[in-house]
Every structure is written in C-alpha cells, then in structure tokens.
Amino acid sequence: MLIFSNSIFLKTLFLILMILRTMVHIKCRSNYYPFGAIKRLDFPDNLVPWSVAFNNYHPPEYNSPNLLNKPWADPDITEPNFNPQWNELDDKVNRKSYMGVYNVSDGRPLNPRGRTGLTGRGVLGRWGPNHAADPVVTRWKLFDDGKREIDQSTNLYILQFCAIKRRDSDEWALPGGMVDPGEQVSSTLQREFLEEALNSLESTPGELESNKKMVSDFFSSGYEIYKGYVDDPRNTDNAWMETVAVNFHDEEGNLVGKFQLNAGDDAKSVQWMDIDQSLALYASHSLFIQTAAMLHGAHW
Ligand code: RP5
C-alpha cells in the first residue's frame, strides 16, 4: 500500500490522531439521547473531565428496557449474579479499554473521556467499553477511461470510501459493528463488511462463498488508522464505544471495484462516497476518513 511520505501530510496525520485521542467528546453530549425522549444534563466543556469538581452533577439515568435478557447484552447492573471483571478479559467479554485503566465508582465503570450528562448504559449492550471494528475501504475515483479524477481546488486525487446509511439514525457511516465475545477484530471487520455492504445475511450460499473469498483476500492486508474511544451519540457516563478502524485500500481499483455493493443488516443503503471535508458522518467517522485521505495524500 502506498503511504504518502510528504512531511505536511504526516504532520497533519499526527495532529488528527492527537485530536482523536484527546478531544472533548461532543456528540455524546447532544441535547437528547438517541431513540428516546430522555434529555441529557447540559454543562460546559470545562466540566467534562472527572478530575474537575462538579458538585451539583446529578444527571438523569437511562437503561433501555430492550436490553434485558438479550444474549449479547449484560444484565442489569443491580442483578446479584452479575459480577463483571472490570478492566479485564471477562471470560470472553473484553472489558479492557484501549484508553488505559478506567475508574469504577459505586460499582459502575466511568467513561474515560469524562461526563456525558447521562448515567446508566443507555442503549449500549455492555457496561463499560463496547468494542467495535470499522473497515475503511477506499479506492481512487476514476473517470470512465480509468484515469484518476483530480479535485480542482486542491489539485489532489479524490479518494472514495465505502459508506453505509445507518438504519437507526439515517446518518452516513462506516460499515462497522460490534466485536462479538471471543471474536478477533480482523473477523469482525470482514463480517461487518459482508453483512452491511454486501448483504451477506440474505445472499445465496453460492454468492456468500464467493463474497467471503473476495473479502478475505482483499482484507488480508490493511493499515490500522485508529484504535480507541469513539464519540458515539449512544455513550453515557457508564457505557461507551471503542473501535479499531482499519484501512483496506484498492490502489488499482480492480479488486473492490468488482464488489457488487448491496446494503444489508443495519444498513439501509450503501455507496462509494467521495472523501472531502464537507462530509458529516456518524460519531467520529469523519476523522477516520480524514486520516485515510491523509495517509494516501488524497484530496480532503
Ligand atoms: C460506532 O458504532 C463504531 O465506530 C461502529 O461504527 C459502530 C458500531 O455500532 P453498531 O453499528 O453495531 O450499532 O461507534
């Protein structure tokens, strides 16, 4: 894979990664929590870190009733038989954070990025970290004659990525998803791409076999662009999203180009989308896409 070596791009890339690791979370402090009428407590940025005293911090609590008895979700935190091993690999459930050791207060894990204005686990299945994986599948934008298209303002080639429209929020996003207990991130990346961008859940056995083979060949070499906390609107003080975002790039356009994109599972549509700074994507996905653009020295 071509990694752009120009020092300006590398500095920008470093800056984006720094922003991703340290920025104050914003999307998980939006007025209303997703899919319900619950309103988060509103407070200024300087009160986000737990290290800053906030004596009157009494946010509302929300625990979606839809999570109870779901095999992929934790029990209610008050359940006497629930003894989670925080900061550990708890049987097959990964309760470790990529952000380091998180604190636990009154038996509840604390969001490593600070306050969100809502306690409980909201709609997230796990208390503490909820691990996901995001495939960032890219190719160059080509004219019909196979030549690469250049953006007139930056004079740089235009990169495209495989985007899905989320069924839950109607926002464009990466075709990522949750890592199942005991699953390798590399398997999650392939499974989610197959499910959301190739509709593997409704494929015939023959299509499934050939798509699985194509995806496993194409995903055999990727470049990790991010690992850590995601500013996801579903985050709360006690449950949050973390991800590993990996770029799989089709330099010649003759591998992914063969894929017949077909939205499935949590995705209502799928398409190749031009990468540009005007993109407004779900959670922290715009920053992952920007990182991919910088990596390839593409237009942003
Ligand atoms: C985001 O939520 C991650 O970056 C990933 O894209 C996604 C996983 O959640 P689901 O799509 O499975 O709801 O925070």
Side-chain angles (χ1 to χ4, degrees), residues 132-134 166 168 173-178 192 196 230 232 234 241-243 266 282-283 285 288:
D134 284 299
R166 290 180 66 94
D168 57 1
L174 292 166
M178 302 294 188
E192 289 293 333
E196 298 193 350
V230 184
D232 189 292
R234 296 169 293 184
M241 292 298 308
E242 300 198 6
T243 200
D266 297 338
Y282 182 75
H285 292 186
F288 303 162

mmCIF file of all heavy atoms in Angstrom, residues 132-134 166 168 173-178 192 196 230 232 234 241-243 266 282-283 285 288, ligand 1:
data_model
loop_
_atom_site.group_PDB
_atom_site.id
_atom_site.type_symbol
_atom_site.label_atom_id
_atom_site.label_comp_id
_atom_site.label_asym_id
_atom_site.label_seq_id
_atom_site.Cartn_x
_atom_site.Cartn_y
_atom_site.Cartn_z
ATOM 1 N N ALA A 132 -16.013 -2.214 19.032
ATOM 2 C CA ALA A 132 -16.454 -2.310 17.642
ATOM 3 C C ALA A 132 -15.235 -2.372 16.730
ATOM 4 O O ALA A 132 -14.088 -2.232 17.176
ATOM 5 C CB ALA A 132 -17.309 -1.098 17.285
ATOM 6 N N ALA A 133 -15.498 -2.587 15.438
ATOM 7 C CA ALA A 133 -14.437 -2.558 14.423
ATOM 8 C C ALA A 133 -15.017 -1.877 13.188
ATOM 9 O O ALA A 133 -16.182 -2.094 12.842
ATOM 10 C CB ALA A 133 -13.999 -3.978 14.089
ATOM 11 N N ASP A 134 -14.204 -1.020 12.556
ATOM 12 C CA ASP A 134 -14.669 -0.246 11.398
ATOM 13 C C ASP A 134 -13.755 -0.436 10.191
ATOM 14 O O ASP A 134 -12.618 0.054 10.189
ATOM 15 C CB ASP A 134 -14.708 1.253 11.752
ATOM 16 C CG ASP A 134 -15.882 1.608 12.627
ATOM 17 O OD1 ASP A 134 -17.024 1.411 12.189
ATOM 18 O OD2 ASP A 134 -15.661 2.069 13.770
ATOM 19 N N ARG A 166 -26.891 4.405 8.069
ATOM 20 C CA ARG A 166 -27.370 3.644 9.224
ATOM 21 C C ARG A 166 -28.900 3.654 9.287
ATOM 22 O O ARG A 166 -29.520 4.696 9.138
ATOM 23 C CB ARG A 166 -26.792 4.231 10.523
ATOM 24 C CG ARG A 166 -25.303 4.011 10.694
ATOM 25 C CD ARG A 166 -24.843 4.627 11.996
ATOM 26 N NE ARG A 166 -25.423 3.955 13.143
ATOM 27 C CZ ARG A 166 -24.836 2.971 13.813
ATOM 28 N NH1 ARG A 166 -23.649 2.542 13.449
ATOM 29 N NH2 ARG A 166 -25.433 2.429 14.857
ATOM 30 N N ASP A 168 -30.618 3.116 11.997
ATOM 31 C CA ASP A 168 -31.135 3.694 13.249
ATOM 32 C C ASP A 168 -31.163 5.218 13.234
ATOM 33 O O ASP A 168 -32.088 5.837 13.733
ATOM 34 C CB ASP A 168 -30.358 3.159 14.466
ATOM 35 C CG ASP A 168 -28.852 3.420 14.402
ATOM 36 O OD1 ASP A 168 -28.379 4.036 13.434
ATOM 37 O OD2 ASP A 168 -28.140 2.999 15.336
ATOM 38 N N ALA A 173 -22.148 6.479 7.412
ATOM 39 C CA ALA A 173 -21.171 5.955 8.378
ATOM 40 C C ALA A 173 -20.291 4.909 7.715
ATOM 41 O O ALA A 173 -20.521 4.518 6.556
ATOM 42 C CB ALA A 173 -21.936 5.309 9.540
ATOM 43 N N LEU A 174 -19.321 4.443 8.450
ATOM 44 C CA LEU A 174 -18.517 3.286 8.016
ATOM 45 C C LEU A 174 -19.333 2.022 8.289
ATOM 46 O O LEU A 174 -20.127 1.993 9.235
ATOM 47 C CB LEU A 174 -17.211 3.235 8.818
ATOM 48 C CG LEU A 174 -16.237 4.373 8.522
ATOM 49 C CD1 LEU A 174 -15.152 4.441 9.589
ATOM 50 C CD2 LEU A 174 -15.625 4.203 7.139
ATOM 51 N N PRO A 175 -19.109 0.970 7.511
ATOM 52 C CA PRO A 175 -19.878 -0.265 7.729
ATOM 53 C C PRO A 175 -19.311 -1.088 8.888
ATOM 54 O O PRO A 175 -18.941 -2.252 8.721
ATOM 55 C CB PRO A 175 -19.742 -0.998 6.386
ATOM 56 C CG PRO A 175 -18.462 -0.491 5.807
ATOM 57 C CD PRO A 175 -18.245 0.895 6.328
ATOM 58 N N GLY A 176 -19.247 -0.463 10.066
ATOM 59 C CA GLY A 176 -18.646 -1.145 11.220
ATOM 60 C C GLY A 176 -19.682 -1.822 12.086
ATOM 61 O O GLY A 176 -20.882 -1.720 11.845
ATOM 62 N N GLY A 177 -19.207 -2.506 13.102
ATOM 63 C CA GLY A 177 -20.140 -3.168 14.017
ATOM 64 C C GLY A 177 -19.420 -3.704 15.235
ATOM 65 O O GLY A 177 -18.196 -3.573 15.373
ATOM 66 N N MET A 178 -20.191 -4.300 16.110
ATOM 67 C CA MET A 178 -19.679 -4.772 17.399
ATOM 68 C C MET A 178 -18.844 -6.049 17.257
ATOM 69 O O MET A 178 -19.199 -6.943 16.483
ATOM 70 C CB MET A 178 -20.840 -5.078 18.340
ATOM 71 C CG MET A 178 -21.755 -3.903 18.582
ATOM 72 S SD MET A 178 -20.894 -2.600 19.479
ATOM 73 C CE MET A 178 -22.264 -1.510 19.811
ATOM 74 N N GLU A 192 -18.659 -7.638 9.290
ATOM 75 C CA GLU A 192 -19.500 -6.445 9.192
ATOM 76 C C GLU A 192 -19.557 -5.923 7.757
ATOM 77 O O GLU A 192 -20.602 -5.483 7.293
ATOM 78 C CB GLU A 192 -19.004 -5.348 10.142
ATOM 79 C CG GLU A 192 -19.267 -5.657 11.607
ATOM 80 C CD GLU A 192 -20.756 -5.672 11.966
ATOM 81 O OE1 GLU A 192 -21.550 -4.994 11.294
ATOM 82 O OE2 GLU A 192 -21.127 -6.390 12.922
ATOM 83 N N GLU A 196 -23.109 -5.616 5.992
ATOM 84 C CA GLU A 196 -23.686 -4.294 5.730
ATOM 85 C C GLU A 196 -23.473 -3.799 4.302
ATOM 86 O O GLU A 196 -24.315 -3.079 3.773
ATOM 87 C CB GLU A 196 -23.128 -3.271 6.729
ATOM 88 C CG GLU A 196 -23.507 -3.635 8.148
ATOM 89 C CD GLU A 196 -23.271 -2.538 9.165
ATOM 90 O OE1 GLU A 196 -22.624 -1.530 8.830
ATOM 91 O OE2 GLU A 196 -23.729 -2.703 10.312
ATOM 92 N N VAL A 230 -14.612 6.218 20.823
ATOM 93 C CA VAL A 230 -15.414 6.832 19.759
ATOM 94 C C VAL A 230 -16.416 7.782 20.406
ATOM 95 O O VAL A 230 -17.082 7.421 21.381
ATOM 96 C CB VAL A 230 -16.220 5.771 18.969
ATOM 97 C CG1 VAL A 230 -16.968 6.420 17.803
ATOM 98 C CG2 VAL A 230 -15.319 4.661 18.465
ATOM 99 N N ASP A 232 -19.473 8.559 20.273
ATOM 100 C CA ASP A 232 -20.717 7.991 19.722
ATOM 101 C C ASP A 232 -21.898 8.593 20.497
ATOM 102 O O ASP A 232 -21.848 8.706 21.729
ATOM 103 C CB ASP A 232 -20.679 6.462 19.915
ATOM 104 C CG ASP A 232 -21.805 5.750 19.186
ATOM 105 O OD1 ASP A 232 -22.989 5.919 19.575
ATOM 106 O OD2 ASP A 232 -21.502 5.011 18.236
ATOM 107 N N ARG A 234 -24.461 7.364 21.499
ATOM 108 C CA ARG A 234 -25.063 6.442 22.462
ATOM 109 C C ARG A 234 -24.274 6.359 23.774
ATOM 110 O O ARG A 234 -24.724 5.721 24.731
ATOM 111 C CB ARG A 234 -25.157 5.034 21.847
ATOM 112 C CG ARG A 234 -26.064 4.963 20.650
ATOM 113 C CD ARG A 234 -25.932 3.647 19.920
ATOM 114 N NE ARG A 234 -24.613 3.504 19.292
ATOM 115 C CZ ARG A 234 -24.255 2.489 18.525
ATOM 116 N NH1 ARG A 234 -25.104 1.521 18.274
ATOM 117 N NH2 ARG A 234 -23.043 2.441 17.993
ATOM 118 N N MET A 241 -18.466 3.549 23.437
ATOM 119 C CA MET A 241 -17.967 2.817 22.279
ATOM 120 C C MET A 241 -16.467 3.011 22.126
ATOM 121 O O MET A 241 -15.942 4.101 22.346
ATOM 122 C CB MET A 241 -18.643 3.329 20.991
ATOM 123 C CG MET A 241 -20.111 3.032 20.868
ATOM 124 S SD MET A 241 -20.502 1.281 20.817
ATOM 125 C CE MET A 241 -19.411 0.702 19.518
ATOM 126 N N GLU A 242 -15.786 1.929 21.734
ATOM 127 C CA GLU A 242 -14.381 1.993 21.337
ATOM 128 C C GLU A 242 -14.273 1.222 20.028
ATOM 129 O O GLU A 242 -15.084 0.310 19.781
ATOM 130 C CB GLU A 242 -13.472 1.362 22.400
ATOM 131 C CG GLU A 242 -13.589 2.048 23.739
ATOM 132 C CD GLU A 242 -12.420 1.771 24.683
ATOM 133 O OE1 GLU A 242 -11.442 1.124 24.258
ATOM 134 O OE2 GLU A 242 -12.507 2.205 25.840
ATOM 135 N N THR A 243 -13.306 1.573 19.211
ATOM 136 C CA THR A 243 -13.179 0.855 17.932
ATOM 137 C C THR A 243 -11.745 0.713 17.474
ATOM 138 O O THR A 243 -10.844 1.397 17.967
ATOM 139 C CB THR A 243 -13.999 1.566 16.827
ATOM 140 O OG1 THR A 243 -14.256 0.647 15.772
ATOM 141 C CG2 THR A 243 -13.288 2.767 16.262
ATOM 142 N N ASP A 266 -27.875 -3.688 9.371
ATOM 143 C CA ASP A 266 -28.147 -2.367 9.956
ATOM 144 C C ASP A 266 -28.044 -1.226 8.939
ATOM 145 O O ASP A 266 -28.227 -0.064 9.300
ATOM 146 C CB ASP A 266 -27.128 -2.054 11.074
ATOM 147 C CG ASP A 266 -27.240 -3.039 12.215
ATOM 148 O OD1 ASP A 266 -28.306 -3.668 12.355
ATOM 149 O OD2 ASP A 266 -26.254 -3.178 12.965
ATOM 150 N N TYR A 282 -21.396 9.787 10.896
ATOM 151 C CA TYR A 282 -21.779 9.326 12.234
ATOM 152 C C TYR A 282 -20.571 9.315 13.191
ATOM 153 O O TYR A 282 -19.451 8.990 12.804
ATOM 154 C CB TYR A 282 -22.334 7.904 12.095
ATOM 155 C CG TYR A 282 -22.828 7.292 13.376
ATOM 156 C CD1 TYR A 282 -24.027 7.695 13.931
ATOM 157 C CD2 TYR A 282 -22.091 6.310 14.026
ATOM 158 C CE1 TYR A 282 -24.491 7.142 15.111
ATOM 159 C CE2 TYR A 282 -22.544 5.740 15.207
ATOM 160 C CZ TYR A 282 -23.746 6.161 15.745
ATOM 161 O OH TYR A 282 -24.195 5.609 16.911
ATOM 162 N N ALA A 283 -20.835 9.637 14.454
ATOM 163 C CA ALA A 283 -19.826 9.531 15.539
ATOM 164 C C ALA A 283 -18.505 10.178 15.099
ATOM 165 O O ALA A 283 -18.518 11.290 14.572
ATOM 166 C CB ALA A 283 -19.659 8.067 15.946
ATOM 167 N N HIS A 285 -16.517 9.164 12.718
ATOM 168 C CA HIS A 285 -16.101 8.573 11.449
ATOM 169 C C HIS A 285 -15.465 9.562 10.480
ATOM 170 O O HIS A 285 -14.611 9.176 9.684
ATOM 171 C CB HIS A 285 -17.277 7.841 10.796
ATOM 172 C CG HIS A 285 -17.700 6.615 11.554
ATOM 173 N ND1 HIS A 285 -18.652 5.738 11.107
ATOM 174 C CD2 HIS A 285 -17.276 6.111 12.751
ATOM 175 C CE1 HIS A 285 -18.802 4.754 11.984
ATOM 176 N NE2 HIS A 285 -17.992 4.970 13.001
ATOM 177 N N PHE A 288 -11.824 9.507 10.995
ATOM 178 C CA PHE A 288 -11.167 8.293 10.471
ATOM 179 C C PHE A 288 -10.953 8.443 8.957
ATOM 180 O O PHE A 288 -9.917 8.061 8.417
ATOM 181 C CB PHE A 288 -12.007 7.034 10.705
ATOM 182 C CG PHE A 288 -12.362 6.752 12.149
ATOM 183 C CD1 PHE A 288 -13.403 5.890 12.458
ATOM 184 C CD2 PHE A 288 -11.670 7.341 13.197
ATOM 185 C CE1 PHE A 288 -13.747 5.617 13.769
ATOM 186 C CE2 PHE A 288 -12.010 7.080 14.514
ATOM 187 C CZ PHE A 288 -13.049 6.222 14.800
HETATM 188 C C1 RP5 B 1 -19.535 3.299 16.245
HETATM 189 O O1 RP5 B 1 -20.629 2.411 16.296
HETATM 190 C C2 RP5 B 1 -18.384 2.463 15.783
HETATM 191 O O2 RP5 B 1 -17.396 3.279 15.192
HETATM 192 C C3 RP5 B 1 -19.039 1.497 14.824
HETATM 193 O O3 RP5 B 1 -19.082 2.035 13.528
HETATM 194 C C4 RP5 B 1 -20.477 1.395 15.321
HETATM 195 C C5 RP5 B 1 -20.813 0.044 15.913
HETATM 196 O O4 RP5 B 1 -22.143 0.036 16.373
HETATM 197 P P1 RP5 B 1 -23.335 -0.605 15.527
HETATM 198 O O5 RP5 B 1 -23.160 -0.132 14.092
HETATM 199 O O6 RP5 B 1 -23.152 -2.089 15.608
HETATM 200 O O7 RP5 B 1 -24.581 -0.111 16.136
HETATM 201 O O8 RP5 B 1 -19.308 3.880 17.487
#
